[in-house]
Amino acid sequence: SLTHSRHSRHLGACAEALSRFGDIIGDTGDTGDLAVAAEQLRVARRELGRITGHVGANDILDVIFRDFCVGK
């Protein structure tokens, strides 16, 4: 079904972001680039939020700046 396909796509994107996070942090606990690692966690949370219906302030701001060209 369409919903199942959408959920699968978002879960896949979440898993990819978590995998990238793991690559950055590494098995040894090396912190790597913490800003990039934190961004991957944010992406994973956003993808899960798209399934659960949770919308954060950053999601709303992203839509406003993308769709309404505020500040351009």
Side-chain angles (χ1 to χ4, degrees), residues 25-41:
I25 298 300
D27 294 334
T28 63
D30 178 22
T31 58
D33 187 346
L34 290 179
V36 176
E39 174 64 13
Q40 294 309 312
L41 288 178

Side-chain angles (χ1 to χ4, degrees), residues 27-61:
D27 294 334
T28 63
D30 178 22
T31 58
D33 187 346
L34 290 179
V36 176
E39 174 64 13
Q40 294 309 312
L41 288 178
R42 189 187 71 78
V43 168
R45 186 203 59 78
R46 184 186 68 214
E47 293 298 331
L48 287 178
R50 289 181 173 168
I51 295 170
T52 64
H54 176 76
V55 177
N58 286 338
D59 298 322
I60 294 169
L61 290 173

